[in-house]
Amino acid sequence: AGTSYSDTAVTGGTTYHYVVSGVNSAGEGPNSSQASATPVSAPPPGSGTGLKGQYYNNIDFTALKKTRTDATINFDFGNGSPVPGMGSDTFSIRWTGEVQGQFSETYTFHTITDDGVRLWVNGQLIIDRWFDQGATEWTGNIALNAGQRVSIQMDYYENGGGASARLQWSSPSQTRQVVPQTQLYPAP
């Protein structure tokens, strides 16, 4: 009835064999050559606890107000303050630590921020959008090795109005999601 098929009842590490044929009002055509596929088992999650978040009461990272561990970067501050006693505008946040990929492949990191953002992964600046903007998505790609932890740093600033900061990832084997706490390790 269609030209695609998704076999969702499979077990990782087991090889499956498939043949297809076409059917129309004239009858059924010959079978295709046999194709095989072996799905990969999902690796176990990491044991991370999040990233170190340093909250500054200005845009240039010089007036440190609070340091804490944030489980993920998935914030909508609205028109409010990110921490008690801190201004709701003209603040900045620096998240640091390590990120651990679950698959050996190229990952796409997605930032959605209102205002500026910079993202380094494994020492490489992969997103550099350091200017005032409404909530905007930017992406950068980098290869990661399964189970290997590499450095990550996300700098963010808010200059006025609404404030939000999100960090997501995706890869050929990883559906797009907020980078989970289990894959993030705080800087000392």
Side-chain angles (χ1 to χ4, degrees):
T3 58
S4 66
Y5 174 73
S6 179
D7 190 352
T8 58
V10 297
T11 302
T14 301
T15 300
Y16 295 86
H17 304 278
Y18 300 90
V19 294
V20 296
S21 66
V23 178
N24 62 21
S25 60
E28 183 174 357
N31 284 344
S32 68
S33 297
Q34 182 173 284
S36 63
T38 306
V40 176
S41 297
S47 59
T49 58
L51 294 175
K52 178 181 179 180
Q54 295 173 290
Y55 290 73
Y56 297 84
N57 206 17
N58 59 6
I59 291 179
D60 61 4
F61 302 99
T62 57
L64 182 62
K65 186 74 172 175
K66 182 171 184 74
T67 299
R68 68 184 190 197
T69 298
D70 290 324
T72 63
I73 301 174
N74 188 23
F75 296 100
D76 185 352
F77 303 115
N79 291 317
S81 170
V83 296
M86 194 164 133
S88 59
D89 288 322
T90 62
F91 63 83
S92 56
I93 307 169
R94 174 169 287 149
W95 289 281
T96 56
E98 295 177 318
V99 63
Q100 180 183 37
Q102 289 188 269
F103 303 95
S104 292
E105 55 197 18
T106 298
Y107 279 75
T108 300
F109 284 83
H110 309 257
T111 60
I112 303 102
T113 60
D114 175 357
D115 287 295
V117 63
R118 288 185 178 133
L119 179 66
W120 292 263
V121 179
N122 202 18
Q124 296 180 39
L125 180 62
I126 63 170
I127 297 174
D128 186 6
R129 301 300 182 190
W130 203 247
F131 49 81
D132 291 359
Q133 58 192 317
T136 306
E137 178 179 347
W138 300 102
T139 61
N141 300 315
I142 191 165
L144 299 178
N145 293 316
Q148 181 181 353
R149 292 163 44 172
V150 298
S151 64
I152 187 168
Q153 177 177 318
M154 181 168 154
D155 286 357
Y156 162 74
Y157 82 85
E158 159 58 13
N159 195 31
S164 59
R166 289 182 175 76
L167 177 63
Q168 301 175 339
W169 68 357
S170 60
S171 75
S173 300
Q174 173 63 63
T175 58
R176 182 172 168 172
Q177 64 177 359
V178 171
V179 180
Q181 177 180 6
T182 58
Q183 305 311 118
L184 298 171
Y185 300 82

